Amino acid sequence: MSLIPKRGTVYVVDDDEAVRDSVQWLLEGQDFRVRCFESAETFLARYDPREVACMIVDIRMNGMSGLELQDRLVERGSPLPIAIITGHGDIPLAVDTMKKGALDFIQKPFKEEQLISLVERMLEQARANFSEQQQSASRDALLAKLTGREAQVLERIVAGRLNKQIADDLGISIKTVEAHRANIMEKLGANTVADLLKIALKQAPARA
C-alpha cells in the first residue's frame, strides 16, 4: 500500500491551532494530503499555484482575514477552489465570499461528513480548473508561434472572411493569404478549418 495520499491536497488556513489540528486529523484519516498555515500571510508566502489543491480558510483571523486572502488570490487569477469556515454571526460575510467565487462555506461546529463531502467537491473542481488552465497555456503557446501578419490573417479567418476579402483587408495577394493560411494550419497543428477555429476561439483571455 502506498504511503502517499492519492486524493489531493487541502490547504487549511486558520489561526486557531485546535481547528487546524482537528481538520488535519479528520482529512488525513480520509487519505487527503493536508497542509496547515496559521495565517493568510504565511500561506501566500508558500503557496504554489502549480499544485492541484483546494483551500479551507477561516473568515476571521488575526492579520489578513479570509475575505482579504480570497481577494488576493482572485487578483492573482488563482484557480484554487475555496471554502470559508464561519461562525454563526458571519453568514452575510460568507455569502459575500461566494459572490466573489468561493465554492461554499461551513459553519462551526461542522459535521465530519459535511467537510469531507465539501473537500471532495472542491478537489474535483480543482482538477477541472487545472486541466482547463493547462489547455489554455497550451493554446497560448501555439498561438504565440504565429507572426504578426499570420495573427491578422487568423483573426479574419475566425471572423468568416474569405481569402479575397482578407487579401483586400490587408493589402496583400490572395496567394500570400493562402501561404499564411497554410503556415497557420501547420503551426497550430490543425488539419481542418474547424480544428483551426476550435483552437482560436478557445484562446485564453489576455492577461493584464
Side-chain angles (χ1 to χ4, degrees), residues 57-118:
V57 58
D58 197 350
I59 202 166
R60 295 186 187 274
M61 296 184 288
N62 292 322
M64 188 186 299
S65 70
L67 279 171
E68 290 169 328
L69 175 56
Q70 181 189 21
D71 288 341
R72 293 285 185 90
L73 291 170
V74 169
E75 288 170 5
R76 294 185 180 188
S78 169
L80 190 68
I82 300 171
I84 303 290
I85 299 175
T86 72
H88 290 296
D90 293 328
I91 299 302
L93 285 175
V95 171
D96 190 41
T97 69
M98 294 187 70
K99 289 179 180 177
K100 293 180 179 179
L103 196 64
D104 209 338
F105 65 89
I106 49 176
Q107 284 185 264
K108 300 176 186 176
F110 42 81
K111 297 179 180 179
E112 294 182 3
E113 297 81 3
Q114 179 189 15
L115 179 62
I116 292 168
S117 175
L118 175 56

Side-chain angles (χ1 to χ4, degrees), residues 146-161 163 166-167 170 172 176-182 184 196:
L146 303 182
T147 66
R149 179 63 86 187
E150 287 167 351
Q152 291 176 328
V153 171
L154 176 59
E155 181 181 0
R156 285 160 175 80
I157 292 172
V158 171
R161 305 285 284 171
N163 285 355
I166 296 173
L170 300 177
I172 56 180
T176 301
V177 172
E178 292 171 347
H180 284 316
R181 194 170 184 136
I184 292 167
L196 193 66

Side-chain angles (χ1 to χ4, degrees), residues 15-29:
D15 58 1
D16 186 328
E17 184 178 3
V19 172
R20 294 197 306 271
D21 289 347
S22 174
V23 173
Q24 183 171 17
W25 177 83
L26 172 63
L27 294 179
E28 286 183 344

Side-chain angles (χ1 to χ4, degrees), residues 29-42:
Q30 297 294 320
D31 204 27
F32 294 106
R33 178 173 181 246
V34 181
R35 296 180 61 192
C36 293
F37 302 87
E38 70 277 8
S39 71
E41 291 85 352
T42 303

